Structure formats: structure tokens, C-alpha cells
Amino acid sequence: MGKFDLVEKYYRRWLSKLPSNDPSLCVLHQRLGVVADDKGEYDTSLKWYQKSLETKMRTHRSYHVNIGNTHNSIIAVHRNKEENKYFEALDFNEKSLDIHEKHLPADHPDMGGSYNNIGIVHHCLGHYGLALNHYNRSLKIRLKSLPGQHSDIAMAYRNMGPVYEYRDELEQALIYMKKAQTIYEVALPFNYPNVVNIKDDVKRVEDKLKMKKKN
């Protein structure tokens, strides 16, 4: 609901009451990482995720699905920071996918997350065909496993739009961007960054399409 400071205050209060060996610390660190990421405090987010990962590595087998989830979270923060460690990120993502494949059903939402993250890295590297392939696999899983208005489905649509835009397939780009916009406008406050950004994306592609038709 956007009440990040209130949530963070609650989690920190919870953190102060737990002993250092409490097994739920890894969950709490993960949630604090999510809050910091949502607030745009990416370095802080990475510190919380790293703490969560260290705790999970001590207490779970190396292929435990929760470790894969934390890898995904770390990758997402690096993406938000717009760092260029793409091959490192690709390695992280492929490890996370391997973990999920060993422990999850094929249509589990976390599988969709892994395919989405691999698609993002290929997108950044300019591998547009591979990016679309992974985005499509992610979208199919999310459509099967999540409610129709879930923000992760919107994310899949939003990620696919720019790939088609870069390939100059503007009509297709606009279709996916508008699908993302429809979900975001229902699921999120009007001034939420995802809502604002997708409106800008749609406007940009619409303008490009108009210019293309004129020429």
C-alpha cells in the first residue's frame, strides 16, 4: 500500500526482539531488503538480502528454494541500480533457475520469476530473441499460477514491450505496454512509479508509431 516507513518500523522492532540465532531472522532480513528496494535504497537493500542469504546458507541445503529466491532478489536490486555486471547477473539467474527446477513444479510463480530475470539480462545484452523467449516462458507460468490482475503479470508485459520497441515492432510493443498499464492502474496508486513510467512508455511508443505512419 506504499506505507514503507511504517512497515520498516514494524520489521525493525521485530528484529530488535529476536535472538541472534533465531531461524526467522533470514525471513526478516529478506523483508527488510524488499522494503529498502521499494524505497529506492538499493545499497541498503543489498545489505539486508546478503544477511538473509548468509543465514540461509548456514541453515539450509545449498539447493533450497529459499536461497534461489534471495539470489533473485539480489539480481533485481542490481538491475534497479542499472549496474553493468550482466554476465555475473546471468550466472546468478541461471543458478536460481537450477535451484527452482530441482524443487518446484514447472508452473510455480517463482519459476516465472527466474525466467523473467534471465530475460532481463539478455535484454540488457541486446539478445532480444533470447530475452523474448524467456519473457514468454515467464508470462505463460504467471498467467497459469497468478490472479489475472497480479503485478507480476504486468511486469512480464512491461518487460516484453521495450524488446519489441527496440526491434521496431511498435504495434506489438504497444499491445504489451497497454496490457501492463491496465493492470498497474487497477492494482497500484495513480502516482506509483510503475504507473507513471508505463504511461510514459505508452506515450513514447504511440508517438513513434505516429511518426512512422507519417513517413
Side-chain angles (χ1 to χ4, degrees):
M1 299 296 291
K3 298 181 179 178
F4 302 126
D5 292 334
L6 181 62
V7 173
E8 183 180 9
K9 182 178 179 181
Y10 170 78
Y11 287 152
R12 285 183 178 275
R13 185 182 303 163
W14 181 14
L15 181 64
S16 68
K17 295 180 180 180
L18 291 177
S20 59
N21 61 345
D22 193 295
S24 63
L25 279 173
C26 62
V27 177
L28 184 54
H29 292 152
Q30 178 87 10
R31 291 179 181 176
L32 281 163
V34 170
V35 172
D37 188 18
D38 286 338
K39 291 172 68 177
E41 299 173 357
Y42 301 129
D43 289 333
T44 301
S45 179
L46 285 172
K47 289 178 183 177
W48 286 121
Y49 285 144
Q50 190 61 43
K51 284 187 176 183
S52 178
L53 184 61
E54 289 168 1
T55 304
K56 289 174 181 177
M57 292 295 288
R58 287 198 306 269
T59 58
H60 298 294
R61 291 181 298 115
S62 62
Y63 278 106
H64 193 280
V65 64
N66 287 333
I67 295 174
N69 291 341
T70 304
H71 278 149
N72 281 344
S73 298
I74 291 171
I75 293 157
V77 176
H78 280 295
R79 186 183 74 239
N80 288 337
K81 290 182 69 175
E82 298 182 351
E83 294 183 348
N84 293 315
K85 299 177 181 178
Y86 296 130
F87 290 103
E88 179 182 340
L90 188 60
D91 182 59
F92 261 115
N93 275 306
E94 289 174 345
K95 285 179 180 177
S96 296
L97 179 60
D98 184 51
I99 291 167
H100 287 156
E101 286 177 337
K102 285 178 168 63
H103 294 277
L104 297 175
D107 59 352
H108 192 282
D110 288 344
M111 291 288 291
S114 288
Y115 284 120
N116 179 73
N117 287 337
I118 292 173
I120 288 169
V121 179
H122 282 302
H123 184 173
C124 293
L125 290 168
H127 305 158
Y128 298 133
L130 285 171
L132 282 177
N133 178 270
H134 286 88
Y135 286 154
N136 272 305
R137 296 182 75 172
S138 174
L139 178 61
K140 287 178 181 178
I141 292 170
R142 288 173 170 177
L143 287 172
K144 286 183 180 179
S145 59
L146 297 172
Q149 299 299 311
H150 198 284
S151 60
D152 283 353
I153 295 176
M155 180 195 300
Y157 288 138
R158 184 184 177 191
N159 287 343
M160 293 171 76
V163 181
Y164 284 109
E165 181 184 359
Y166 295 144
R167 287 162 51 134
D168 202 34
E169 299 176 37
L170 300 179
E171 292 89 349
Q172 196 70 11
L174 199 56
I175 288 171
Y176 284 108
M177 288 177 178
K178 285 187 173 180
K179 285 183 177 182
Q181 183 180 18
T182 298
I183 296 175
Y184 280 143
E185 288 180 345
V186 170
L188 299 172
F190 75 95
N191 60 346
Y192 199 79
N194 283 345
V195 178
V196 175
N197 292 338
I198 196 63
K199 285 182 179 178
D200 291 341
D201 291 342
V202 167
K203 178 67 165 53
R204 181 185 67 251
V205 175
E206 285 178 336
D207 289 345
K208 284 184 177 181
L209 196 53
K210 289 176 183 176
M211 291 297 297
K212 185 176 182 180
K213 289 179 179 179
K214 286 182 180 179
N215 296 332

